């Protein structure tokens, strides 16, 4: 069953809006956060990426 073109456009718009909203929240939150919190998050990113890659492979 092919997907309706309008539904595809709406889905892409929704995903794009979600990405933009996430970026806006992140850009707003990082300068307002305490420096030690930002450093802890940046140091945790490689572990988070590795965990997501393992989770993706198991699915």
């Amino acid at each position: 069953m092919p997907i309706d073109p309008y539904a595809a456009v709406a889905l892409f718009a929704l995903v794009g809006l979600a990405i933009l909203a996430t970026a806006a929240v992140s850009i707003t939150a990082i300068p307002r956060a305490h420096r030690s919190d930002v450093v802890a998050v940046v140091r945790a990113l490689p572990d988070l990426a590795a965990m997501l890659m393992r989770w993706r492979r198991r699915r």
Side-chain angles (χ1 to χ4, degrees), residues 7-53:
V9 170
L11 180 65
F12 286 130
L14 184 64
V15 170
L17 182 62
I19 290 171
L20 288 175
T22 303
V25 168
S26 299
I27 290 169
T28 304
I30 287 176
R32 297 183 74 190
H34 193 268
R35 185 168 185 238
S36 63
D37 296 335
V38 174
V39 170
V41 169
V42 170
R43 285 186 179 161
L45 287 177
D47 295 332
L48 177 63
M51 187 267 313
L52 290 174
M53 293 295 285

